């Protein structure tokens, strides 16, 4: 990270106040609660679309990858979003969700893990999906459009459009049938 603008893994105050407002795009119709934590840096994108709400105690971090949140989304109370993450329009994240495109590398056991760097794999949540409370989404996955992820699930693989997944690890349990216009068990 750029040491001149980073202090204790958070952006310095002058970066937050005088630099970030000019490089990040947050729609004026969106609401970001004051008690949310925005560890956003100017060297990666941070954007929030129209009519989106980032609730209290949410943590947003773009230090290792961009965070892009679409229009009319809800980032729930206590959610953690660590980039690279893209959330498309009309997505609802319930409470206490952790999604991180960041992973620490640990290949040399003679060195502390903190000195070995990180890898990133993007997370994408497509439009009109809903992620239940207390879920974990790991890097490198895509949640398709019009999907539901059941509460407490750990998503380690991508979920195709129009599916419901639950469990640890999350498994596909239903898909939408356009002919019958109903959700069917898989």
């Amino acid at each position: 990270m750029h040491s001149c603008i980073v202090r204790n893994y958070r952006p310095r105050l002058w970066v937050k106040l005088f630099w970030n407002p000019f490089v990040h795009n947050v729609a004026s119709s969106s609401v970001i609660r004051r008690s949310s934590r925005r560890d956003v840096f100017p060297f990666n994108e941070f954007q929030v679309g129209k009519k989106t709400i980032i609730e209290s105690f949410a943590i947003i971090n773009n230090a290792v990858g961009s965070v892009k949140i679409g229009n009319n989304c809800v980032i729930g109370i206590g959610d953690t979003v660590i980039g690279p993450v893209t959330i498309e329009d009309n997505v609802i994240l319930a409470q206490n969700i952790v999604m991180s495109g960041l992973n620490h590398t640990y290949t040399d056991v003679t060195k502390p893990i903190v000195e070995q760097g990180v890898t990133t794999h993007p997370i994408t949540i497509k439009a009109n999906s809903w992620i239940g409370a207390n879920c974990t989404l790991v890097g490198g996955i895509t949640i398709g459009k019009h999907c539901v992820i059941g509460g407490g699930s750990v998503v380690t693989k991508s979920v195709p459009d129009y599916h419901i997944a639950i469990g640890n690890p999350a498994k596909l349990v239903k898909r939408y049938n356009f002919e019958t216009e109903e959700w069917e068990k898989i």
Side-chain angles (χ1 to χ4, degrees):
M1 278 191 266
H2 306 276
S3 60
C4 66
I5 62 173
V6 178
R7 184 167 187 239
N8 298 326
Y9 298 102
R10 297 183 84 173
R12 292 179 183 266
L13 183 60
W14 66 268
V15 172
K16 284 182 169 182
L17 297 177
F18 302 115
W19 195 348
N20 280 348
F22 299 104
V23 296
H24 298 306
N25 184 10
V26 177
S28 61
S29 60
S30 290
V31 175
I32 301 176
R33 303 282 186 225
R34 291 186 71 194
S35 59
S36 66
R37 179 172 161 176
R38 285 182 282 168
D39 293 345
V40 294
F41 299 90
F43 45 83
N44 284 317
E45 270 187 277
F46 172 63
Q47 61 186 18
V48 179
K50 298 174 185 170
K51 297 182 181 178
T52 287
I53 298 173
I54 298 177
E55 284 291 356
S56 299
F57 311 110
I59 299 168
I60 309 293
N61 185 308
N62 76 338
V64 295
S66 297
V67 174
K68 301 174 190 173
I69 303 170
N71 299 317
N72 201 35
C73 293
V74 176
I75 309 301
I77 296 169
D79 289 349
T80 300
V81 179
I82 301 172
V85 170
T86 301
I87 300 170
E88 293 183 358
D89 297 342
N90 303 307
V91 170
I92 298 173
L93 303 181
Q95 302 78 31
N96 301 312
I97 293 167
V98 175
M99 63 177 70
S100 178
L102 161 78
N103 203 355
H104 291 271
T105 56
Y106 193 47
T107 55
D108 184 352
V109 295
T110 64
K111 292 165 93 178
I113 195 168
V114 73
E115 295 176 7
Q116 296 196 38
V118 298
T119 60
T120 59
H121 301 283
I123 295 172
T124 301
I125 303 175
K126 293 195 176 178
N128 301 303
S129 290
W130 172 33
I131 313 298
N134 302 307
C135 287
T136 301
L137 283 66
V138 301
I141 61 135
T142 297
I143 305 294
K145 61 184 177 180
H146 294 276
C147 287
V148 177
I149 307 299
S153 297
V154 177
V155 184
T156 59
K157 294 182 180 175
S158 293
V159 176
D161 296 348
Y162 297 95
H163 277 76
I164 297 174
I166 60 171
N168 179 4
K171 294 188 183 335
L172 302 177
V173 293
K174 289 186 179 182
R175 76 173 148 243
Y176 189 76
N177 183 328
F178 286 94
E179 291 176 14
T180 64
E181 296 182 345
E182 292 184 3
W183 291 95
E184 297 178 344
K185 287 185 181 180
I186 295 179

